[in-house]
Every structure is written in structure tokens, then in C-alpha cells.
Amino acid sequence: MAKTVRKLRSSEWFGGTGKNAFLHRSWMKNQGLPAHLFDGRPVIGICNSWSELTPCNAHLRDIAEHVKRGVF
């Protein structure tokens, strides 16, 4: 049985030469991400509900930082 190669959603967003891909890359580069991160590898976003106003989620900031260091 042939294996189907699945195209990554991040390659659809950031790859290519179209206007949308250019805009997506520009937005991310504006946040300080270097151009080599868009070379076809998956782009992984980390979202959490940490806020200075909600102390119950204060630990999520530290967890996100540890994950971020492991991903890059």
C-alpha cells in the first residue's frame, strides 16, 4: 500500500511565493524570527492563558518558556 505524503499546514502558510505566504513570513519575521525557520520545517506555535491578572495560570509562562527552548 502506498504511503500518502501529507503537506504540513505551516508549509502552506509560509512556503511559496504568493501574497499570503509573503504576509505570513513578514508577520513572523517582524516578531524577531529568523528567515531560516521557514525552510520547510514545521512551524509550531505555543499558546497559553498566562496573564499578570490571573495568578492561577502563572505557572504556564515558565512552562511555555521551557517548551520554546526545546522547540527552537
Side-chain angles (χ1 to χ4, degrees):
M1 180 174 235
K3 203 173 194 184
T4 305
V5 177
R6 187 172 155 214
K7 190 171 184 179
L8 297 172
R9 182 174 22 179
S10 56
S11 67
E12 292 176 11
W13 278 40
F14 300 109
T17 57
K19 180 177 77 169
N20 287 338
F22 171 77
L23 291 172
H24 288 134
R25 287 190 305 268
S26 296
W27 290 330
M28 299 305 283
K29 289 178 184 179
N30 185 44
Q31 298 300 310
L33 297 175
H36 75 272
L37 291 181
F38 306 107
D39 63 359
R41 291 179 283 174
V43 176
I44 301 169
I46 301 168
C47 178
N48 72 53
S49 58
W50 172 82
S51 170
E52 293 177 342
L53 302 175
T54 55
C56 60
N57 293 330
H59 68 288
L60 294 176
R61 182 179 187 187
D62 293 333
I63 291 171
E65 285 301 318
H66 288 291
V67 171
K68 187 175 169 182
R69 280 196 300 270
V71 171
F72 282 109

Coordinates of all heavy atoms in Angstrom, one line a residue:
M1 N 0.8 -1.2 0.0 CA 0.0 0.0 0.0 C 0.9 1.2 0.0 O 1.8 1.3 0.8 CB -0.9 0.0 1.2 CG -1.8 1.1 1.3 SD -2.9 0.9 2.7 CE -4.5 1.1 1.9
A2 N 0.6 2.2 -0.9 CA 1.4 3.4 -1.0 C 1.1 4.3 0.2 O 0.0 4.5 0.6 CB 1.1 4.1 -2.3
K3 N 2.2 5.0 0.6 CA 2.0 5.9 1.7 C 1.8 7.3 1.2 O 2.4 7.8 0.2 CB 3.3 5.9 2.5 CG 3.2 6.4 3.9 CD 4.5 6.2 4.7 CE 4.3 6.3 6.1 NZ 5.5 6.3 6.9
T4 N 0.8 8.0 1.7 CA 0.4 9.3 1.3 C 1.3 10.3 2.0 O 1.3 10.3 3.3 CB -1.0 9.6 1.5 OG1 -1.8 8.6 0.9 CG2 -1.4 11.0 1.0
V5 N 1.9 11.2 1.3 CA 2.7 12.3 2.0 C 1.8 13.5 2.2 O 1.2 14.0 1.3 CB 3.9 12.7 1.0 CG1 4.7 13.9 1.7 CG2 4.8 11.6 0.8
R6 N 1.7 13.8 3.5 CA 0.9 14.9 3.9 C 1.6 16.2 4.0 O 2.7 16.3 4.6 CB 0.3 14.6 5.3 CG -0.8 15.5 5.7 CD -1.4 15.0 7.0 NE -1.9 16.2 7.7 CZ -2.0 16.3 9.0 NH1 -1.5 15.3 9.8 NH2 -2.5 17.3 9.6
K7 N 1.1 17.2 3.3 CA 1.7 18.5 3.3 C 1.4 19.3 4.6 O 0.3 19.3 5.1 CB 1.2 19.4 2.1 CG 2.0 20.6 1.9 CD 1.5 21.3 0.6 CE 2.4 22.5 0.4 NZ 2.1 23.2 -0.9
L8 N 2.4 19.8 5.2 CA 2.3 20.5 6.5 C 1.5 21.8 6.3 O 1.7 22.5 5.4 CB 3.6 20.8 7.1 CG 4.5 19.6 7.5 CD1 5.9 20.0 7.9 CD2 3.8 18.8 8.6
R9 N 0.6 22.1 7.3 CA -0.1 23.3 7.2 C 0.8 24.5 7.2 O 0.6 25.5 6.5 CB -1.1 23.4 8.4 CG -2.0 24.6 8.3 CD -3.0 24.7 9.4 NE -2.7 23.8 10.5 CZ -3.5 23.7 11.6 NH1 -4.6 24.3 11.6 NH2 -3.2 22.9 12.5
S10 N 1.9 24.5 8.0 CA 2.8 25.6 8.1 C 3.5 25.8 6.7 O 3.8 27.0 6.4 CB 3.8 25.4 9.2 OG 4.5 24.2 9.0
S11 N 3.7 24.8 5.9 CA 4.3 25.0 4.6 C 3.3 25.6 3.7 O 3.7 26.4 2.8 CB 4.8 23.7 4.0 OG 3.8 22.8 3.7
E12 N 2.0 25.4 3.9 CA 1.0 26.1 3.1 C 1.0 27.6 3.5 O 0.8 28.5 2.7 CB -0.3 25.5 3.3 CG -0.4 24.1 2.7 CD -1.8 23.4 3.0 OE1 -2.7 24.1 3.5 OE2 -1.9 22.2 2.8
W13 N 1.2 27.9 4.8 CA 1.1 29.3 5.2 C 2.4 30.1 4.9 O 2.3 31.2 4.5 CB 1.0 29.3 6.7 CG -0.4 29.1 7.2 CD1 -1.4 28.3 6.7 CD2 -1.0 29.8 8.3 NE1 -2.5 28.4 7.4 CE2 -2.4 29.3 8.4 CE3 -0.6 30.7 9.2 CZ2 -3.2 29.8 9.4 CZ3 -1.5 31.2 10.2 CH2 -2.8 30.7 10.3
F14 N 3.5 29.5 5.1 CA 4.8 30.2 5.0 C 5.6 29.9 3.7 O 6.5 30.7 3.3 CB 5.7 29.9 6.2 CG 5.1 30.3 7.5 CD1 4.6 29.3 8.4 CD2 4.9 31.6 7.8 CE1 4.1 29.7 9.6 CE2 4.3 32.0 9.0 CZ 3.9 31.0 9.9
G15 N 5.3 28.8 3.0 CA 6.0 28.5 1.8 C 5.4 29.1 0.6 O 4.3 29.7 0.6
G16 N 6.1 29.1 -0.5 CA 5.6 29.6 -1.7 C 5.9 31.1 -2.0 O 6.6 31.7 -1.2
T17 N 5.4 31.6 -3.1 CA 5.8 32.9 -3.5 C 4.6 33.9 -3.6 O 4.7 35.0 -4.0 CB 6.5 32.9 -4.9 OG1 5.6 32.3 -5.8 CG2 7.8 32.2 -4.8
G18 N 3.4 33.4 -3.2 CA 2.2 34.2 -3.2 C 2.2 35.3 -2.2 O 3.0 35.3 -1.2
K19 N 1.2 36.1 -2.3 CA 1.0 37.2 -1.4 C 0.8 36.8 0.1 O 1.3 37.3 1.0 CB -0.2 38.1 -1.8 CG -0.4 39.3 -0.9 CD -1.6 40.2 -1.4 CE -2.9 39.5 -1.1 NZ -4.0 40.4 -1.4
N20 N -0.1 35.8 0.2 CA -0.4 35.3 1.6 C 0.8 34.7 2.3 O 1.1 35.0 3.5 CB -1.5 34.3 1.6 CG -2.9 34.9 1.3 OD1 -3.0 36.1 1.5 ND2 -3.8 34.1 0.9
A21 N 1.6 33.9 1.6 CA 2.9 33.4 2.2 C 3.8 34.5 2.5 O 4.4 34.5 3.6 CB 3.5 32.4 1.2
F22 N 3.9 35.5 1.7 CA 4.8 36.7 2.0 C 4.3 37.4 3.2 O 5.1 37.7 4.1 CB 4.8 37.6 0.8 CG 5.5 38.9 1.0 CD1 6.8 39.0 1.1 CD2 4.7 40.1 1.3 CE1 7.5 40.2 1.3 CE2 5.3 41.3 1.6 CZ 6.7 41.3 1.6
L23 N 3.0 37.6 3.3 CA 2.5 38.3 4.5 C 2.7 37.5 5.8 O 3.1 38.0 6.8 CB 1.0 38.5 4.4 CG 0.6 39.6 3.3 CD1 -0.9 39.6 3.1 CD2 1.1 40.9 3.7
H24 N 2.5 36.2 5.7 CA 2.7 35.3 6.9 C 4.2 35.3 7.4 O 4.5 35.5 8.5 CB 2.2 33.9 6.7 CG 0.8 33.7 6.6 ND1 0.2 33.0 5.6 CD2 -0.2 34.2 7.3 CE1 -1.1 33.0 5.7 NE2 -1.4 33.8 6.8
R25 N 5.1 35.2 6.4 CA 6.5 35.3 6.8 C 6.9 36.6 7.3 O 7.6 36.7 8.3 CB 7.4 35.0 5.5 CG 7.4 33.5 5.1 CD 8.4 33.2 4.1 NE 8.3 34.1 2.9 CZ 7.6 33.8 1.8 NH1 7.0 32.6 1.7 NH2 7.6 34.6 0.7
S26 N 6.3 37.7 6.7 CA 6.7 39.1 7.2 C 6.2 39.3 8.6 O 6.9 39.9 9.4 CB 6.0 40.1 6.3 OG 6.5 40.0 5.0
W27 N 5.0 38.8 8.9 CA 4.5 39.0 10.3 C 5.4 38.3 11.3 O 5.7 38.8 12.4 CB 3.1 38.4 10.4 CG 2.0 39.2 9.7 CD1 2.1 40.6 9.5 CD2 0.8 38.8 9.1 NE1 0.9 41.0 8.8 CE2 0.1 39.9 8.6 CE3 0.2 37.5 9.0 CZ2 -1.1 39.8 7.9 CZ3 -1.0 37.4 8.4 CH2 -1.6 38.5 7.9
M28 N 5.8 37.1 11.0 CA 6.7 36.3 11.9 C 8.1 36.9 12.0 O 8.6 37.0 13.1 CB 6.7 34.8 11.5 CG 5.4 34.1 11.5 SD 4.5 34.3 13.0 CE 5.4 33.0 13.9
K29 N 8.6 37.4 10.9 CA 9.9 38.0 10.9 C 9.9 39.3 11.7 O 10.9 39.6 12.4 CB 10.4 38.2 9.5 CG 10.8 37.0 8.7 CD 11.3 37.3 7.3 CE 11.6 36.1 6.5 NZ 12.0 36.4 5.1
N30 N 8.8 40.0 11.6 CA 8.6 41.2 12.4 C 8.7 40.9 13.9 O 9.0 41.8 14.7 CB 7.3 41.9 12.0 CG 7.1 43.2 12.7 OD1 8.0 44.0 12.8 ND2 5.9 43.4 13.2
Q31 N 8.3 39.7 14.3 CA 8.4 39.3 15.7 C 9.8 38.8 16.1 O 10.0 38.4 17.2 CB 7.4 38.3 16.0 CG 5.9 38.7 15.8 CD 5.6 39.9 16.6 OE1 5.8 39.9 17.8 NE2 5.0 40.9 16.0
G32 N 10.7 38.9 15.2 CA 12.1 38.5 15.5 C 12.5 37.1 15.1 O 13.6 36.7 15.4
L33 N 11.7 36.4 14.4 CA 12.0 35.0 14.0 C 12.9 35.1 12.8 O 12.6 35.8 11.8 CB 10.8 34.2 13.7 CG 9.9 34.0 14.9 CD1 8.6 33.2 14.5 CD2 10.6 33.2 16.0
P34 N 14.0 34.4 12.7 CA 14.9 34.5 11.6 C 14.4 33.7 10.4 O 13.5 32.8 10.5 CB 16.2 33.8 12.1 CG 15.8 32.9 13.2 CD 14.5 33.6 13.8
A35 N 14.8 34.1 9.2 CA 14.3 33.6 7.9 C 14.5 32.1 7.8 O 13.7 31.4 7.2 CB 15.0 34.3 6.8
H36 N 15.6 31.5 8.4 CA 15.9 30.1 8.2 C 14.8 29.2 8.9 O 14.8 28.0 8.6 CB 17.3 29.8 8.7 CG 17.4 29.7 10.2 ND1 17.7 30.8 11.0 CD2 17.3 28.7 11.1 CE1 17.7 30.5 12.3 NE2 17.5 29.2 12.3
L37 N 14.0 29.8 9.7 CA 12.9 28.9 10.3 C 11.8 28.6 9.3 O 11.0 27.7 9.6 CB 12.3 29.7 11.5 CG 13.2 29.8 12.7 CD1 12.4 30.5 13.8 CD2 13.7 28.4 13.2
F38 N 11.8 29.2 8.2 CA 10.8 29.0 7.2 C 11.3 28.2 6.0 O 11.0 28.4 4.8 CB 10.2 30.3 6.7 CG 9.7 31.2 7.8 CD1 10.5 32.3 8.2 CD2 8.6 30.8 8.5 CE1 10.0 33.1 9.3 CE2 8.2 31.6 9.6 CZ 8.9 32.7 10.0
D39 N 12.2 27.2 6.3 CA 12.9 26.5 5.2 C 12.2 25.1 5.0 O 12.8 24.2 4.4 CB 14.3 26.2 5.6 CG 14.5 25.4 6.8 OD1 13.5 25.0 7.5 OD2 15.7 25.2 7.2
G40 N 10.9 25.0 5.4 CA 10.2 23.8 5.1 C 9.9 22.9 6.4 O 9.1 22.0 6.3
R41 N 10.6 23.3 7.5 CA 10.3 22.5 8.7 C 9.0 23.0 9.3 O 8.5 24.1 9.0 CB 11.4 22.8 9.7 CG 12.7 22.2 9.4 CD 13.8 22.6 10.4 NE 14.2 24.0 10.2 CZ 15.0 24.6 11.0 NH1 15.5 24.1 12.1 NH2 15.3 25.9 10.7
P42 N 8.3 22.2 10.1 CA 7.1 22.6 10.7 C 7.3 23.9 11.6 O 8.3 23.9 12.3 CB 6.6 21.4 11.5 CG 7.6 20.4 11.4 CD 8.7 20.9 10.5
V43 N 6.3 24.8 11.6 CA 6.3 25.9 12.5 C 5.3 25.6 13.6 O 4.2 25.3 13.3 CB 6.0 27.2 11.7 CG1 5.9 28.4 12.7 CG2 7.0 27.5 10.6
I44 N 5.8 25.6 14.8 CA 4.9 25.2 15.9 C 4.7 26.4 16.8 O 5.6 27.1 17.2 CB 5.6 24.1 16.8 CG1 5.9 22.9 15.9 CG2 4.8 23.8 18.0 CD1 6.8 21.9 16.5
G45 N 3.4 26.7 17.1 CA 3.0 27.8 17.9 C 2.7 27.3 19.3 O 2.2 26.3 19.5
I46 N 3.0 28.1 20.3 CA 2.7 27.8 21.7 C 1.7 28.9 22.2 O 2.0 30.1 22.2 CB 4.0 27.8 22.5 CG1 5.0 26.8 22.0 CG2 3.6 27.5 24.0 CD1 6.4 26.9 22.6
C47 N 0.6 28.4 22.6 CA -0.4 29.3 23.1 C -0.8 29.0 24.6 O -0.9 27.8 24.9 CB -1.7 29.2 22.3 SG -3.0 30.3 22.8
N48 N -0.8 29.9 25.4 CA -1.3 29.6 26.8 C -2.1 30.8 27.3 O -2.1 31.9 26.8 CB -0.1 29.3 27.7 CG 0.8 30.4 28.0 OD1 0.3 31.4 28.5 ND2 2.1 30.3 27.8
S49 N -2.7 30.6 28.5 CA -3.5 31.7 29.1 C -2.9 32.4 30.2 O -3.6 32.9 31.1 CB -4.9 31.0 29.5 OG -4.6 30.0 30.4
W50 N -1.5 32.4 30.2 CA -0.8 33.2 31.3 C -1.2 34.6 31.2 O -1.3 35.2 30.1 CB 0.7 33.0 31.1 CG 1.4 33.9 32.1 CD1 1.7 33.6 33.4 CD2 2.0 35.2 31.8 NE1 2.3 34.7 33.9 CE2 2.5 35.6 33.0 CE3 2.0 36.0 30.7 CZ2 3.1 36.9 33.1 CZ3 2.6 37.2 30.8 CH2 3.2 37.6 32.0
S51 N -1.3 35.3 32.3 CA -1.6 36.7 32.4 C -1.2 37.2 33.8 O -1.3 36.4 34.8 CB -3.1 37.0 32.2 OG -3.4 38.3 32.5
E52 N -0.8 38.4 33.9 CA -0.4 39.0 35.1 C -1.7 39.2 36.0 O -1.6 39.4 37.2 CB 0.3 40.3 34.9 CG 1.7 40.2 34.3 CD 2.3 41.5 34.1 OE1 1.6 42.6 34.0 OE2 3.5 41.5 33.9
L53 N -2.8 39.2 35.4 CA -4.1 39.4 36.1 C -4.7 38.1 36.6 O -5.7 38.2 37.4 CB -5.1 40.1 35.1 CG -4.6 41.4 34.6 CD1 -5.6 41.9 33.6 CD2 -4.4 42.4 35.7
T54 N -4.2 36.9 36.2 CA -4.8 35.7 36.6 C -3.7 34.8 37.3 O -3.0 34.1 36.6 CB -5.5 34.9 35.5 OG1 -4.5 34.7 34.5 CG2 -6.7 35.6 35.0
P55 N -3.5 35.0 38.6 CA -2.4 34.2 39.2 C -2.5 32.7 39.1 O -1.6 32.0 39.3 CB -2.4 34.7 40.6 CG -3.8 35.3 40.8 CD -4.3 35.8 39.5
C56 N -3.7 32.2 38.9 CA -3.9 30.8 38.8 C -3.2 30.1 37.7 O -2.9 29.0 37.7 CB -5.4 30.4 38.8 SG -6.3 31.0 37.4
N57 N -2.9 30.9 36.6 CA -2.2 30.4 35.5 C -0.7 30.9 35.4 O -0.1 30.7 34.3 CB -2.9 30.8 34.2 CG -4.3 30.1 34.1 OD1 -4.5 29.0 34.6 ND2 -5.2 30.7 33.5
A58 N -0.2 31.4 36.4 CA 1.2 32.0 36.4 C 2.2 30.9 36.0 O 3.2 31.3 35.4 CB 1.5 32.6 37.8
H59 N 2.0 29.7 36.4 CA 3.0 28.6 36.0 C 3.1 28.4 34.5 O 4.1 27.9 34.1 CB 2.6 27.4 36.8 CG 1.4 26.7 36.3 ND1 0.1 27.3 36.5 CD2 1.2 25.6 35.5 CE1 -0.8 26.5 35.9 NE2 -0.2 25.5 35.3
L60 N 2.1 28.8 33.8 CA 2.1 28.5 32.3 C 3.2 29.3 31.6 O 3.7 28.9 30.6 CB 0.7 28.8 31.7 CG -0.4 27.8 32.2 CD1 -1.7 28.2 31.6 CD2 0.0 26.4 31.8
R61 N 3.5 30.5 32.1 CA 4.6 31.2 31.5 C 5.9 30.5 31.5 O 6.6 30.4 30.5 CB 4.7 32.6 32.2 CG 5.8 33.5 31.6 CD 5.9 34.8 32.3 NE 6.8 35.7 31.6 CZ 7.1 36.9 32.0 NH1 6.7 37.3 33.2 NH2 8.0 37.6 31.4
D62 N 6.3 29.9 32.7 CA 7.5 29.1 32.8 C 7.5 27.9 31.9 O 8.5 27.6 31.3 CB 7.8 28.7 34.2 CG 8.1 29.9 35.1 OD1 8.6 30.9 34.6 OD2 7.8 29.8 36.3
I63 N 6.3 27.2 31.9 CA 6.2 26.0 31.0 C 6.4 26.4 29.6 O 7.1 25.7 28.8 CB 4.9 25.3 31.3 CG1 4.8 24.7 32.7 CG2 4.6 24.2 30.2 CD1 3.5 24.2 33.1
A64 N 5.8 27.5 29.1 CA 5.9 27.9 27.7 C 7.4 28.2 27.4 O 7.8 27.9 26.3 CB 5.0 29.1 27.4
E65 N 8.1 28.8 28.3 CA 9.5 29.2 28.0 C 10.3 27.9 27.9 O 11.2 27.8 27.0 CB 10.1 30.1 29.1 CG 9.6 31.5 29.1 CD 9.9 32.2 27.8 OE1 11.1 32.0 27.3 OE2 9.1 32.9 27.2
H66 N 10.1 26.9 28.7 CA 10.8 25.6 28.6 C 10.5 24.9 27.3 O 11.4 24.4 26.7 CB 10.5 24.7 29.8 CG 11.0 25.2 31.1 ND1 12.4 25.1 31.4 CD2 10.4 25.7 32.2 CE1 12.6 25.6 32.6 NE2 11.4 25.9 33.1
V67 N 9.3 24.9 26.9 CA 8.9 24.3 25.7 C 9.5 25.0 24.5 O 10.0 24.4 23.6 CB 7.4 24.2 25.5 CG1 6.9 23.8 24.1 CG2 6.8 23.3 26.6
K68 N 9.5 26.3 24.6 CA 10.0 27.2 23.5 C 11.5 26.9 23.3 O 12.0 26.7 22.1 CB 9.8 28.6 23.8 CG 10.2 29.6 22.8 CD 9.8 31.0 23.2 CE 10.3 32.1 22.3 NZ 10.0 33.4 22.8
R69 N 12.3 26.8 24.4 CA 13.7 26.5 24.2 C 13.9 25.1 23.6 O 14.8 24.9 22.9 CB 14.4 26.5 25.6 CG 14.7 28.0 26.0 CD 15.6 28.0 27.2 NE 15.1 27.3 28.3 CZ 14.4 27.9 29.3 NH1 14.1 29.2 29.2 NH2 14.0 27.2 30.4
G70 N 13.0 24.1 23.9 CA 13.2 22.8 23.4 C 12.8 22.7 21.9 O 13.3 21.9 21.2
V71 N 11.9 23.6 21.4 CA 11.4 23.6 20.1 C 12.4 24.2 19.1 O 12.7 23.7 18.1 CB 10.0 24.2 19.9 CG1 9.6 24.4 18.5 CG2 9.0 23.4 20.7
F72 N 13.0 25.4 19.5 CA 13.9 26.1 18.6 C 15.2 25.3 18.6 O 16.0 24.9 18.6 CB 14.1 27.5 19.1 CG 13.0 28.4 18.7 CD1 12.2 28.9 19.6 CD2 12.8 28.7 17.4 CE1 11.1 29.7 19.3 CE2 11.8 29.5 17.0 CZ 10.9 30.1 17.9

